[in-house]
């Protein structure tokens, strides 16, 4: 790898998808520049050119070449800088890790959004569905310290950023993740003890303020 | 799991599923012998429910007793276990691009297609969206023989099953795929020259009939 590797992340401070990429790069010890995008205002020319299809963050620019979609980026980071590995070595265990990463990708952010967007009966349904997803994840974690058998890795990195939004969901939904899913709660504390995670995750209180802003924008009160 | 499945390769699938076809194509490209099990989605087998308790969906690949779910993950697994005729390129950046476009197909084509043939609301929007999606894919194909370049690859496997649905989409959407995206139609014809594809895909008219019957079963008004 060239010592002059230029790594830029087009970022938004509250995006759990962008946090995944930053944590992965931190874990790999890769120096990078995070450029904050103004997603609620004007997206930069660079973002629109680098991600013309979705116009979203995160985008990883490696020596100017753009990569989009956080899970695609994570796989790229893992292949380009193999140490320490984020995925297990056996094909079956790799497919299990990718399965749960895909599950988190499809269910958690959307499920959480339904909570802060809803009231009354719809809120109760959203809470129940979210709890079911968390319980499935807790089942996948089991008695292990981290999701895969070989230490902090792919699924942990994909899921952990979402916990910065959990406090907001809990406030609006009237529940506590740690009470519903104690093993997940222990896993969350364990991950927060890692330097990469502590460095990247924003203050949950600030995220909750941001969600309040989103609710106003959506006309919810 | 049954002992017969413990050593071999079993695919739980449904004949018309483009997601299942991806797996059939990948296995055939690699020359892997497998047992095909047709599922009835209105009456799912205990094996399927045990193998995919989270989503309860097909396809599921069972290899050496281990279940692998989600069609693109299955194709990636097949590509890793049987390393002949690689479907993904070796360069990490090109691999990422291939995964990006396969993911694009996954996110966009089926969802939009369903909006088209369900014909509930915003039919014009669904039509516009489908044409835009197909044009984006055609842009990515460009003048290449396959999405993978000279070699049939991951994105080709991910997308080609949907070519059997072009007739359904254009009939319900009232447009012509050939007129809007001639390169895509030419690409689909080239893919059909491959045994893995021609063996796995069904006649587009059969797919259309299936959708019409499905609409009746779901009680969708015309």
């Amino acid at each position: 790898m060239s010592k002059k590797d230029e790594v830029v992340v087009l970022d938004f401070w509250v995006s759990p998808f962008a946090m995944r990429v930053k944590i992965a790069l931190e874990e790999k010890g890769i120096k990078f520049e995070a450029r904050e995008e103004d997603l609620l205002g004007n997206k930069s020319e660079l973002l629109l050119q680098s991600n013309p299809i979705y116009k979203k963050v995160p985008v990883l620019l490696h020596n100017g070449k753009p990569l989009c979609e956080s899970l695609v980026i994570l796989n790229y980071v893992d292949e380009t800088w193999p140490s320490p590995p984020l995925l297990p070595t056996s094909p079956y265990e790799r497919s299990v890790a990718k399965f749960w990463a895909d599950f988190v990708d499809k269910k958690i952010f959307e499920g959480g959004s339904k909570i802060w967007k809803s009231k009354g009966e719809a809120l109760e349904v959203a809470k129940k569905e979210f709890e079911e997803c968390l319980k499935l994840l807790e089942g996948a974690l089991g008695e292990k310290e981290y999701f895969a058998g070989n230490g902090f890795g792919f699924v942990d990195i994909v899921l952990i950023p979402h916990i910065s939004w959990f406090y907001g969901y809990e406030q609006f939904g009237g529940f506590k993740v740690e009470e519903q899913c104690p093993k997940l709660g222990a896993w969350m504390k364990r991950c927060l003890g890692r330097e990469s995670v502590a460095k990247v995750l924003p203050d949950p209180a600030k995220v909750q303020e941001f969600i309040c802003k989103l609710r106003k924008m959506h006309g919810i009160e | 799991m049954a002992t017969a499945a413990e050593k071999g390769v079993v695919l739980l699938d449904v004949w018309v599923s483009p997601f299942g076809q991806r797996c059939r194509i990948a296995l055939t490209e690699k020359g892997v012998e497998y047992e095909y099990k047709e599922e009835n989605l209105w009456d799912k087998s205990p094996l399927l429910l045990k193998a995919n308790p989270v989503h309860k969906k097909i396809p599921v690949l069972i290899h050496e007793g281990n279940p692998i779910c989600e069609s693109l993950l299955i194709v990636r697994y097949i590509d890793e276990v049987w390393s002949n005729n690689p479907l993904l390129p070796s360069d990490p950046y090109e691999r990422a691009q291939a995964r990006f476009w396969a993911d694009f197909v996954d996110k966009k084509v089926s969802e939009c297609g369903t909006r088209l043939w369900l014909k509930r609301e915003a039919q014009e929007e669904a039509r516009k969206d489908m044409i835009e999606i197909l044009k984006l894919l055609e842009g990515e194909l460009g003048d290449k023989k396959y999405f993978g370049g000279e070699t049939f690859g991951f994105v080709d496997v991910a997308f080609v099953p949907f070519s059997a649905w072009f007739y359904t989409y254009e009939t319900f959407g009232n447009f012509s795929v050939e007129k809007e995206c001639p390169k895509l139609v030419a690409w689909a014809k080239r893919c059909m020259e491959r045994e893995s594809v021609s063996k796995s895909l069904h006649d587009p008219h059969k797919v259309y009939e299936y959708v019409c019957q499905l609409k009746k079963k779901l009680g969708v008004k015309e």
Side-chain angles (χ1 to χ4, degrees), chain B residues 70-128:
Chain B
E70 295 299 296
S71 61
L72 291 184
L73 296 186
I74 295 172
V75 175
R76 286 165 75 180
Y77 174 85
I78 291 167
D79 205 35
E80 283 184 28
V81 172
W82 293 279
S83 50
N84 58 315
N85 302 338
L87 295 171
L88 278 166
S90 48
D91 171 68
Y93 187 75
E94 286 176 30
R95 287 163 77 84
Q97 292 304 101
R99 284 194 209 109
F100 174 87
W101 283 103
D103 177 70
F104 176 84
V105 173
D106 240 22
K107 281 184 164 89
K108 300 282 188 182
V109 178
S110 181
E111 187 270 339
C112 186
T114 304
R115 275 190 285 139
L116 260 180
W117 61 255
L118 265 181
K119 255 180 149 175
R120 279 199 179 125
E121 296 149 5
Q123 181 68 356
E124 180 54 34
E125 192 186 326
R127 179 183 160 275
K128 265 178 67 192

Side-chain angles (χ1 to χ4, degrees), chain A residues 60-215:
Chain A
L60 182 81
L61 291 151
H62 185 201
N63 296 326
K65 284 160 89 172
L67 295 112
C68 310
E69 292 301 288
S70 64
L71 295 188
V72 172
I73 297 170
L74 282 192
N75 274 292
Y76 175 81
V77 167
D78 203 31
E79 285 175 9
T80 304
W81 297 283
S83 179
L86 301 179
L87 281 167
T89 38
S90 94
Y92 176 64
E93 284 173 14
R94 290 158 71 83
S95 73
V96 172
K98 287 173 205 162
F99 174 87
W100 287 108
D102 176 71
F103 178 85
V104 171
D105 216 32
K106 285 186 166 106
K107 301 281 190 182
I108 297 301
F109 195 70
E110 194 182 305
S113 298
K114 282 189 187 150
I115 292 175
W116 63 256
K117 281 180 183 168
S118 307
K119 291 165 101 171
E121 182 61 40
L123 174 57
E124 293 308 307
V125 172
K127 275 165 63 179
K128 197 162 165 275
E129 282 176 6
F130 193 71
E131 186 183 343
E132 275 167 23
C133 289
L134 292 183
K135 287 219 183 291
L136 281 167
L137 285 166
E138 196 175 52
L141 177 66
E143 300 302 322
K144 305 194 295 294
E145 272 202 330
Y146 299 108
F147 276 87
N150 62 330
F152 184 78
F154 201 76
V155 182
D156 308 288
I157 293 174
V158 169
L159 179 58
I160 200 66
H162 293 277
I163 73 165
S164 59
W165 286 65
F166 282 5
Y167 177 69
Y169 304 155
E170 287 169 342
Q171 294 303 300
F172 291 115
F175 66 98
K176 284 222 88 184
V177 172
E178 277 172 344
E179 278 165 22
Q180 290 175 350
C181 302
K183 285 181 188 162
L184 259 191
W187 165 84
M188 283 160 49
K189 285 199 175 78
R190 208 172 289 130
C191 291
L192 282 167
R194 289 186 83 81
E195 202 183 320
S196 61
V197 177
K199 198 174 168 185
V200 167
L201 260 55
D203 179 352
K206 290 214 168 86
V207 178
Q208 199 222 348
E209 270 173 42
F210 179 80
I211 299 176
C212 287
K213 203 169 156 185
L214 286 179
R215 276 167 66 105

